[in-house]
């Protein structure tokens, strides 16, 4: 029997592919290609080595502990609202449109939870039984001052919009002002939405309003309709259950919304303000600031519990408890109302005469901390010698004086000026912008030989000066490279006009001699609060407010001393009255500094020393601030800015009471609306915002003026300058000042020529004939005093003093 034939088949190919590489240690490039752009999800991965070895039970326990800690923190934040005697949640209802009815809006919110109550114009309480909470409404009109005061002490701010009328300029000003001063939790509602016909257009209106609000507050995506009972109920639920965000600077102090005011009937009685303490504990030793009334001392703090229903058997017990319950009285540590330190004891006339020294007559301008050319023996000016490198002072005596000004005898690269020490090689700021090499555009000298100086004709020189300045005036319209440049009249003596000015080799590093400033400083400058270590003093004052005082959530009567009687006549119950407790030393004056940023909405520049209204924390002032450049310098000298242009930031300085911490600051300006300008119909504009910084009386604000001259004759590095000074005495007085050019050359005055202010100068390199030669002079400017602001921000017949000329550039 034949054997079975074995089947055979050929492989399709003889090529054998190796196995793919399966190592877990792949390269970064291979992993990146394998991921194909996918981002790994790090959520849930165990990061730390401890988490990697934790068991599932330990991880659950850790998550539970985190949850309990968060719940405990939430209970601590809302503990002031809990209980039968808990503080009410303050709700400020702010209308943004002209046709908004605030009373109707509050009635819609209350009716959604079947709450019936009257709607007065003043603040009032409402008990919400469904959520076991109490709300205190603060209805305000379309008034900027009332809206800002209400939002400053509110736990919740409710902006009410209209579905038919757009938000006008006043409404936008209210939004920006409340936003920049600091605001707690915000809600937005719309009124009269049912009047929109057809009904299918209502969602588009709500979307448009939501888009408008997200422009100012990106988180405001929900707009509640006050015409819908369900949405009103949801808004009330949020008001009663949401933890308020709070305001940082407000929560560092004790504050109170005043519910009632008891005016004194006799002179010996005190004014009593009633309200619930919020924030930190209220101390009787600290001063309090009440609205725009001012700052007062506390006489005593007494309890003011709300009346509760009692049984008939407890009538006697109630009468006994009606006696005044004093919670706190001031002690020996009570702050006084003095804003300045006491005046120093002056010495007698005999002692003063013995110590008085006649000031020495100076012969030159002050440069850094030294008056040059002012020694007892008059110095004879000697021309600097050109010597080879390595020449000692002994060998220098063996070189005869060179009578030639052509400097053609020795090579320029092998010369060294004996008196050339620390020459500033920078433009107007000093040594900060040293030009390391000569400009490539330097032209060849037009005057190869030294020429004898010929005194120019006075008439021709005056015509040439007028033509030169007219040309510069046209160029200055387009170029602001020299904003501090001034022009002196030919008949004015520069040493008299600029008597307060001095020179600096470097604006950032040169020492500033403060002895020269004492004759010009304000009378109260030496009595201002001196703070050596701002951070330690601030922390000490804030830690002191954490302990003691009447506990937050307590309803109290605050008895104030010496409240003016005129306030009773100007008191308006429809405007909320706030009380803020000041920290220690916050009533004392010093030199305040604020970061200030020009608002882009205001297109005009703000001039220094212009009248502004500033709000910093609970206080408002009328100020004339100085603007200076920010930053830290070695000598604490900062350049004064004459204008704050749109989009720029600077430091605003004025004298006023200190405010501890980084408190947001608002700067308002009275304006006159132009004809046909509908967008600026409000006579008050928010022109800038800022933040409080560390105050300092040692910070020097230096105003700079620049005198420029024109190169008349140029020979290599020796240049004859004109139009900077106009008499020989001015040249001799300012001879010590360093010169600089627009293109970065530095030099010094060599000698005066003639009697018309021409002089010869040496530079560290060749200059271009089109270059301008300048000299920088500085004087210290002093901040002005702030005046407390009273009354509403928007008032008819507002002051128009900001339009007055306040140009004091060279006085």
């Amino acid at each position: 029997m034949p054997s079975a034939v074995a089947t055979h088949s050929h492989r399709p190919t003889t090529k054998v592919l190796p196995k793919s590489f399966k190592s877990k240690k792949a390269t970064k490039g291979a992993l990146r290609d394998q991921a194909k752009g996918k981002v790994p999800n790090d959520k849930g991965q165990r990061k730390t080595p401890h988490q990697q070895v934790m068991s599932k039970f330990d991880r659950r326990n850790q998550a539970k502990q985190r949850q309990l800690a968060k719940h405990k923190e939430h209970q601590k934040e809302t503990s002031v609202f809990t209980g039968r005697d808990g503080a009410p949640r303050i709700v400020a209802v702010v209308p943004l449109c002209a046709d908004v009815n605030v009373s109707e809006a509050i009635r819609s919110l209350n009716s959604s939870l079947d709450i019936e109550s009257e709607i007065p114009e003043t603040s009032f309480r409402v008990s919400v039984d469904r959520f076991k909470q109490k709300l205190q409404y603060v209805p305000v009109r379309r008034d900027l001052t009332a809206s800002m005061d209400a939002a400053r002490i509110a736990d919740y701010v409710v902006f009410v919009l209209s579905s038919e009328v757009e938000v006008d300029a006043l409404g936008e000003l209210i939004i920006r002002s409340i936003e920049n001063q600091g605001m707690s939790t915000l809600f937005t509602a719309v009124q009269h939405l049912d009047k929109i016909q057809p009904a299918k257009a209502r969602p588009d209106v709500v979307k448009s309003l939501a888009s408008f609000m997200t422009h100012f507050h990106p988180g405001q995506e929900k707009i509640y309709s006050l015409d819908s009972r369900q949405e009103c109920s949801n808004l009330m639920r949020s008001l009663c259950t949401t933890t308020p965000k709070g305001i940082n600077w407000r929560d560092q102090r004790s504050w109170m919304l005043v519910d009632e005011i008891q005016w004194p009937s006799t002179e010996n009685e005190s004014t009593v303000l009633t309200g619930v303490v919020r924030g930190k504990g209220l101390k009787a030793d600290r001063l309090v600031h009440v609205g725009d009334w001012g700052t007062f001392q506390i006489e005593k703090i007494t309890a003011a519990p709300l009346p509760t229903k009692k049984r008939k058997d407890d009538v006697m017990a109630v009468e006994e408890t009606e006696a005044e319950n004093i919670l706190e009285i001031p002690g020996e540590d009570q702050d006084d109302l003095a804003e300045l330190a006491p005046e120093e004891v002056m010495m007698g006339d005999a002692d003063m005469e013995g110590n008085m020294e006649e000031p020495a007559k100076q012969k030159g301008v002050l440069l850094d901390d030294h008056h040059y050319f002012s020694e007892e023996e008059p110095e004879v000016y000697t021309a600097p010698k050109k010597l080879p490198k390595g020449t000692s002072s002994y060998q220098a005596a063996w070189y005869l004086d060179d009578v030639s000004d052509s400097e053609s005898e020795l090579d320029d690269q092998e010369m060294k000026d004996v008196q050339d020490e620390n020459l500033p090689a920078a433009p107007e700021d000093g040594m900060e912008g040293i030009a390391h090499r000569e400009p490539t555009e330097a032209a060849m000298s037009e005057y190869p030989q030294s020429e004898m100086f010929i005194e120019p004709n006075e008439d021709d020189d005056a015509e040439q000066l007028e033509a030169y300045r007219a040309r510069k005036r046209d160029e200055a319209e387009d170029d602001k490279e020299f904003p501090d440049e001034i022009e002196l009249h030919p008949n004015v003596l520069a040493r008299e006009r600029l008597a307060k000015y001095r020179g600096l080799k470097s604006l950032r590093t040169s020492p500033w001699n403060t002895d020269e400033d004492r004759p010009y400083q304000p009378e109260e400058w030496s009595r201002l609060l001196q703070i050596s270590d701002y951070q330690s003093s601030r922390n000490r004052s804030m830690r002191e407010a954490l302990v003691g005082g009447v506990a937050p959530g307590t309803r109290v009567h605050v008895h104030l001393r010496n409240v003016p009687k005129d306030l009773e006549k100007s008191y308006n119950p429809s405007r909320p009255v706030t009380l803020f407790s000041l920290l220690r030393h916050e009533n004392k004056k010093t030199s305040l500094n604020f970061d200030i940023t020009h608002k882009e909405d205001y297109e005009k520049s703000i001039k220094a020393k212009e009248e502004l209204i500033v709000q910093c924390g609970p206080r408002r002032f009328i100020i004339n601030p100085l603007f200076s450049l920010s930053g830290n310098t070695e000598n604490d000298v900062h350049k004064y800015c004459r204008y704050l242009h749109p989009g720029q930031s600077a430091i605003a300085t004025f004298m006023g009471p200190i405010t501890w911490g980084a408190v947001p600051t608002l700067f308002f300006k009275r304006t006159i609306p132009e004809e046909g300008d509908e967008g600026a119909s409000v006579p008050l504009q928010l022109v800038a915002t800022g933040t409080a910084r560390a105050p300092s009386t040692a910070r020097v604000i230096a105003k700079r003026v620049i005198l420029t001259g024109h190169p008349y004759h140029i020979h290599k590095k020796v240049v004859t300058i004109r139009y900077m000074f106009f008499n020989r005495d001015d040249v001799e007085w300012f001879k010590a000042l360093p010169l600089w050019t627009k293109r970065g050359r530095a030099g010094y005055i060599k000698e005066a020529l003639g009697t018309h202010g021409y002089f010869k100068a040496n530079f560290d390199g060749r200059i271009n004939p089109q270059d301008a030669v300048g000299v920088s002079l500085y004087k210290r400017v002093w901040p002005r005093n702030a005046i407390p602001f009273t009354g509403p921000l928007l008032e008819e017949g507002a002051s128009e003093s900001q339009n007055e000329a306040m140009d004091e550039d060279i006085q």
Side-chain angles (χ1 to χ4, degrees):
M1 183 174 179
S3 61
V5 179
T7 59
H8 177 75
S9 63
H10 292 280
R11 292 183 179 180
T13 178
T14 58
K15 186 176 181 181
V16 180
L17 297 176
K19 292 183 178 181
S20 60
F21 187 68
K22 296 183 178 180
S23 174
K24 296 182 179 179
K25 301 179 180 179
T27 61
K28 293 182 180 179
L31 293 176
R32 184 172 60 251
D33 296 339
Q34 185 179 1
K36 295 181 180 179
K38 297 178 182 179
V39 179
N41 185 13
D42 295 337
K43 187 177 181 181
Q45 293 184 0
R46 304 175 191 173
K47 300 291 181 64
T48 63
H50 176 66
Q51 291 177 342
Q52 293 177 1
V53 298
M54 286 175 61
S55 63
K56 186 176 182 180
F57 176 79
D58 292 335
R59 295 197 301 273
R60 283 184 176 178
N61 186 33
Q62 189 182 58
K64 185 178 181 181
Q65 289 176 349
R66 259 192 249 108
Q67 185 179 7
L68 291 176
K70 187 175 181 180
H71 180 66
K72 187 177 181 180
E73 182 181 0
H74 173 73
Q75 283 185 333
K76 183 179 179 181
E77 293 176 351
T78 58
S79 61
V80 71
F81 304 124
T82 58
R84 185 181 62 178
D85 298 330
R89 297 170 181 257
I90 303 175
V91 181
V93 184
V94 181
L96 299 180
C97 301
D99 65 335
V100 170
N101 190 338
V102 176
S103 299
E104 189 66 27
I106 297 176
R107 188 176 290 106
S108 300
L109 293 175
N110 291 341
S111 61
S112 65
L113 298 181
D114 299 329
I115 300 175
E116 296 181 0
S117 65
E118 297 181 358
I119 313 297
E121 294 183 355
T122 59
S123 62
F124 63 98
R125 288 193 179 195
V126 168
S127 179
V128 184
D129 297 334
R130 178 181 298 184
F131 303 108
K132 298 181 180 180
Q133 293 290 328
K134 294 179 288 293
L135 298 180
Q136 184 171 5
Y137 291 105
V138 184
V140 295
R141 301 176 181 176
R142 264 174 46 93
D143 180 61
L144 178 62
T145 307
S147 300
M148 294 179 65
D149 291 343
R152 194 164 48 186
I153 47 87
D155 297 310
Y156 309 95
V157 178
V158 179
F159 283 156
V160 184
L161 301 171
S162 174
S163 60
E164 298 177 328
V165 180
E166 295 183 353
V167 179
D168 56 359
L170 177 58
E172 292 190 8
L173 180 61
I174 292 175
I175 294 176
R176 297 183 187 276
S177 301
I178 293 178
E179 174 189 8
N180 287 281
Q181 77 171 359
M183 178 177 54
S184 189
T185 307
L186 173 65
F187 296 100
T188 307
V190 59
Q191 207 173 35
H192 310 312
L193 190 61
D194 289 347
K195 296 182 180 180
I196 300 298
Q197 296 296 335
K200 61 180 180 180
R202 296 170 188 173
D204 296 335
V205 174
V206 174
K207 288 181 181 179
S208 175
L209 295 176
S211 176
F212 173 79
M213 289 304 302
T214 52
H215 173 71
F216 300 98
H217 302 277
Q220 287 297 303
E221 298 179 355
K222 174 63 177 176
I223 304 294
Y224 295 91
S225 175
L226 296 179
D227 298 328
S228 172
R229 181 183 177 90
Q230 180 62 38
E231 292 195 11
C232 288
S233 177
N234 293 339
L235 179 55
M236 291 291 288
R237 177 185 296 274
S238 300
L239 294 176
C240 295
T241 58
T242 304
T243 303
K245 184 173 59 176
I247 304 174
N248 187 28
W249 68 267
R250 182 187 70 180
D251 296 338
Q252 294 172 350
R253 297 160 175 81
S254 178
W255 54 277
M256 183 176 74
L257 172 62
V258 178
D259 299 334
E260 300 176 7
I261 301 178
Q262 298 179 13
W263 300 99
S265 57
T266 61
E267 295 181 357
N268 298 328
E269 294 182 1
S270 57
T271 305
V272 183
L273 306 183
T274 305
V276 179
V277 178
R278 297 290 304 276
K280 298 294 184 291
L282 180 60
K283 296 183 178 180
D285 290 335
R286 302 283 82 85
L287 302 175
V288 293
H289 186 84
V290 183
D292 57 355
W293 296 4
T295 305
F296 306 97
Q297 286 181 320
I298 295 179
E299 182 177 339
K300 59 183 176 180
I301 301 176
T302 59
L306 290 173
T308 55
K309 294 182 180 180
K310 297 290 184 179
R311 294 179 301 177
K312 295 181 179 180
D313 300 340
D314 298 339
V315 174
M316 297 298 297
V318 172
E319 293 178 356
E320 293 178 358
T321 57
E322 285 180 355
E324 188 177 55
N325 182 14
I326 299 178
L327 299 179
E328 188 167 341
I329 57 175
E332 298 179 355
D333 194 31
Q334 186 179 20
D335 296 337
D336 55 8
L337 294 173
E339 297 180 344
L340 299 172
E343 296 183 5
E344 298 179 356
V345 180
M346 302 299 294
M347 295 184 295
D349 295 339
D351 298 335
M352 291 292 291
E353 291 177 1
N355 295 333
M356 287 292 290
E357 295 181 0
E358 184 178 356
K361 186 177 181 180
Q362 307 297 346
K363 298 182 180 180
V365 67
L366 177 65
L367 179 60
D368 288 354
D369 56 352
H370 182 67
H371 280 278
Y372 288 82
F373 315 117
S374 298
E375 285 72 11
E376 296 180 359
E377 295 295 333
E379 285 189 355
V380 178
Y381 178 77
T382 57
K385 299 179 180 179
K386 288 296 181 178
L387 303 173
K389 289 185 178 181
T391 304
S392 64
S393 60
Y394 174 77
Q395 293 171 337
W398 293 91
Y399 285 84
L400 299 178
D401 293 342
D402 189 4
V403 297
S404 175
D405 292 335
S406 63
E407 300 182 353
S408 60
E409 289 78 11
L410 297 174
D411 188 3
D412 292 339
Q413 296 181 356
E414 296 179 358
M415 296 296 101
K416 179 180 180 181
D417 193 345
V418 174
Q419 299 180 356
D420 185 12
E421 296 180 2
N422 297 327
L423 287 178
E428 58 270 24
D429 284 339
M431 295 184 292
E432 283 74 24
I434 297 176
H436 297 285
R437 60 176 184 271
E438 295 185 5
T440 56
E441 68 271 20
M444 296 298 295
S445 173
E446 300 177 6
Y447 309 97
Q449 299 294 331
S450 177
E451 298 182 0
M452 181 180 63
F453 179 75
I454 302 176
E455 190 76 17
N457 187 8
E458 294 185 1
D459 297 336
D460 296 342
D461 192 38
E463 294 179 0
Q464 295 176 8
L465 173 63
E466 184 64 25
Y468 170 70
R469 287 188 171 177
R471 178 175 57 86
K472 287 180 60 181
R473 194 172 297 115
D474 295 338
E475 294 175 357
E477 294 178 357
D478 300 328
D479 188 12
K480 294 183 179 180
E481 191 170 358
F482 297 104
D484 302 317
E485 183 177 339
I486 65 170
E487 295 177 350
L488 295 176
H489 194 274
N491 298 329
V492 175
L493 297 179
R495 61 186 180 275
E496 295 180 359
R497 187 71 176 272
L498 306 175
K500 299 180 182 179
Y501 287 81
R502 68 184 73 183
L504 290 179
K505 293 181 180 179
S506 173
L507 180 61
R508 300 181 182 178
T509 59
S510 294
W512 187 275
N513 189 354
T514 57
D515 295 337
E516 299 285 337
D517 301 327
R518 291 177 182 174
Y520 310 110
Q521 70 183 17
E523 296 180 359
E524 57 187 22
W525 187 259
S526 59
R527 301 173 58 193
L528 296 178
L529 179 66
Q530 307 290 332
I531 304 174
S532 57
D533 189 348
Y534 172 78
Q535 188 172 0
S536 299
S537 302
R538 178 198 61 190
N539 295 339
R540 189 183 306 111
S541 299
M542 290 186 175
R543 283 196 303 266
E544 193 178 31
L546 298 176
V547 183
V550 180
T554 308
R555 194 169 187 268
V556 296
H557 294 303
V558 181
H559 299 254
L560 302 181
R561 298 175 181 170
N562 302 325
V563 177
K565 293 183 179 180
D566 299 339
L567 296 176
E568 184 177 2
K569 300 178 181 178
S570 62
Y571 170 64
N572 187 359
S574 62
R575 290 182 176 175
V577 178
T578 61
L579 181 145
F580 281 86
S581 178
L582 302 181
L583 301 177
R584 188 184 289 271
H585 306 304
E586 280 197 329
N587 191 50
K588 298 179 180 178
K589 283 188 177 182
T590 186
S591 179
L592 304 180
N593 298 317
F594 293 86
D595 281 338
I596 180 172
T597 302
H598 194 292
K599 294 285 290 183
E600 296 179 355
D601 303 332
Y602 186 69
E603 299 178 353
K604 299 181 181 179
S605 300
I606 306 174
K607 191 174 185 180
K609 304 178 185 178
E610 196 172 26
E611 183 178 289
L612 300 177
I613 300 175
V614 62
Q615 174 180 302
C616 180
R619 296 179 285 199
R620 298 187 182 101
F621 302 98
I622 299 176
I623 62 171
N624 301 95
L626 302 180
F627 299 143
S628 59
L629 297 180
S630 59
N632 297 324
T633 57
E634 183 179 341
N635 54 2
D636 205 9
V637 177
H638 305 268
K639 179 186 169 298
Y640 168 80
C641 301
R642 291 175 171 84
Y643 287 91
L644 184 65
H645 298 289
Q648 291 184 352
S649 298
I651 299 293
T653 305
F654 59 90
M655 289 191 295
I658 186 176
T659 302
W660 297 112
V663 180
T665 309
L666 282 71
F667 297 88
F668 296 94
K669 180 183 176 182
R670 304 279 189 190
T671 57
I672 301 177
E674 299 178 358
E675 296 182 359
D677 191 359
E678 299 177 356
S681 58
V682 181
L684 186 77
Q685 294 290 327
L686 178 63
V687 297
T689 58
T691 307
R693 292 305 180 204
S696 174
T697 55
R699 191 177 191 271
V700 177
I701 302 177
K703 176 187 284 188
R704 179 171 66 193
V705 298
I706 297 175
L707 300 177
T708 57
H710 178 252
Y712 185 51
H713 285 176
I714 302 177
H715 177 64
K716 293 186 178 179
K717 301 179 182 180
V718 180
V719 184
T720 301
I721 309 297
R722 64 175 178 176
Y723 300 155
M724 183 179 291
F725 306 105
F726 299 97
N727 58 78
R728 187 182 187 91
D729 294 337
D730 286 344
V731 178
E732 296 293 341
W733 178 265
F734 294 102
K735 183 185 293 186
L737 296 179
L739 302 176
W740 50 266
T741 69
K742 182 178 178 181
R743 289 177 171 83
R745 296 293 98 197
Y748 59 92
I749 298 177
K750 185 176 181 181
E751 60 177 330
L753 301 176
T755 61
H756 287 244
Y758 287 59
F759 62 89
K760 189 177 293 186
N762 274 21
F763 287 89
D764 60 351
R766 298 179 179 179
I767 70 172
N768 192 285
Q770 304 299 325
D771 208 346
V773 180
V775 62
S776 299
L777 290 166
Y778 302 89
K779 82 163 183 178
R780 184 173 185 177
V781 289
W782 304 91
R784 299 188 178 185
N785 202 1
I787 303 173
F789 178 82
T790 58
L793 290 171
L794 286 175
E795 186 178 7
E796 295 182 1
S799 174
E800 302 176 0
S801 59
Q802 72 273 9
N803 294 327
E804 298 178 0
M806 304 177 65
D807 192 4
E808 301 179 5
D809 292 343
I810 58 175
Q811 296 181 1

